[in-house]
Amino acid sequence: MIEFDRIIIGANFFGCGLAARLGKAKIIEPSCVIGADFALTFNSGEEWDVGPEHPEAAEYLSLLRKHRALDDLGRTAVAAFAPLLAEWCRKRELDIELSCSVVAIEGQELRVIGVDGRKIYRAGEIYDALPKKKSRKFLTGLVAGPEGLEDGQRGNFVFRQSLHPGEYYVKLECSGEDGWELARRTWHQQWASRPEELRDCRLLLLGTRFDLCNYPNPVAALDAGLRSEGGKL
């Protein structure tokens, strides 16, 4: 058994912010990347004109601008979100374990399975920072197409320009009860019958998890974690 002062489940933007605020925290993340709530959903963010309250979240916002992952029009390069969050976390020496899933929680003990097999962690405090299900969720694809397509609704899809010309984040709202397989199938079916103006567009990648819309952008999520008591279990 390995003991920690506190364990945070979820190395997403909120969880990393919470860990930085609380200190002495072990963060475990079921996916293979930090910031998966935006990086793996292809959520490019919105409401970028609303600045963060916490100075450490403002520091991450500055990183996005410095590395040209966010411009003045709110266009982003989602692929940069996770690497820049990793840089932010390294500076704070956060203890993060990726590809580590919780099997069971019994009191102050967590039974987990990671790349090195099954193990038991014990912590004085346990926090659940994973994204919470809401009434709305989206599945987003990365699409290549003619340059100059404006942001907005096209058929059942919502288009948003990325920082790269001719590249778009295209999201489709899913039924709250849809499972992963059905949602992916629905996305492809809707895309096959997309409006004529989009016939020259082609799908490059589809997000690997749902966007649950907990926060409008990664800076807002990080800011919320830095200011929150979190979901203590």
Side-chain angles (χ1 to χ4, degrees):
M1 183 184 300
I2 308 173
E3 297 193 4
F4 300 94
D5 290 331
R6 54 184 61 89
I7 289 176
I8 295 173
I9 305 169
N12 47 45
F13 282 87
F14 177 88
C16 290
L18 179 62
R21 190 188 75 77
L22 294 175
K24 295 183 179 180
K26 171 77 169 183
I27 314 172
I28 58 175
E29 166 59 39
S31 76
C32 61
V33 63
I34 63 174
D37 48 332
F38 286 87
L40 297 186
T41 64
F42 292 161
N43 182 345
S44 61
E46 56 188 18
E47 299 181 20
W48 289 102
D49 56 327
V50 180
E53 295 183 27
H54 199 286
E56 292 188 69
E59 181 182 331
Y60 178 76
L61 177 60
S62 296
L63 280 175
L64 291 176
R65 296 193 183 281
K66 175 184 176 182
H67 291 274
R68 299 180 180 178
L70 170 68
D71 70 8
D72 292 338
L73 298 177
R75 294 176 298 197
T76 60
V78 171
F81 288 174
L84 294 178
L85 178 61
E87 180 178 334
W88 188 93
C89 290
R90 278 196 299 270
K91 181 177 179 181
R92 289 154 181 81
E93 299 182 338
L94 299 186
D95 181 5
I96 301 173
E97 182 176 354
L98 300 176
S99 300
C100 182
S101 298
V102 176
V103 176
I105 300 176
E106 301 171 356
Q108 300 308 115
E109 293 184 3
L110 291 87
R111 297 183 182 276
V112 303
I113 184 166
V115 295
D116 53 350
R118 294 179 180 272
K119 48 199 169 184
I120 299 175
Y121 287 160
R122 182 176 178 83
E125 299 173 352
I126 301 172
Y127 294 82
D128 179 8
L130 292 174
K132 305 302 183 284
K133 292 182 178 180
K134 292 194 172 183
S135 58
R136 303 185 75 190
K137 64 182 180 183
F138 294 85
L139 184 56
T140 301
L142 180 63
V143 167
E147 294 184 20
L149 292 177
E150 295 184 356
D151 292 352
Q153 192 86 27
R154 286 180 167 79
N156 292 323
F157 293 98
V158 177
F159 264 63
R160 187 171 181 82
Q161 297 181 61
S162 92
L163 265 177
H164 306 295
E167 186 178 274
Y168 304 90
Y169 301 108
V170 180
K171 67 180 183 180
L172 177 71
E173 185 166 2
C174 307
S175 169
E177 301 303 317
D178 283 357
W180 183 246
E181 182 178 347
L182 176 58
R184 284 177 61 89
R185 186 164 62 247
T186 300
W187 203 103
H188 284 290
Q189 289 171 346
Q190 294 282 348
W191 184 247
S193 59
R194 61 192 180 276
E196 187 63 33
E197 64 174 319
L198 305 179
R199 287 296 166 182
D200 290 336
C201 297
R202 67 185 189 279
L203 175 65
L204 301 176
L205 292 168
L206 200 56
T208 57
R209 61 172 58 184
F210 290 118
D211 171 18
L212 300 178
C213 307
N214 282 194
Y215 300 98
N217 61 62
V219 175
L222 187 64
D223 187 57
L226 285 161
R227 297 183 293 106
S228 173
E229 295 297 328
K232 189 174 179 181
L233 299 180

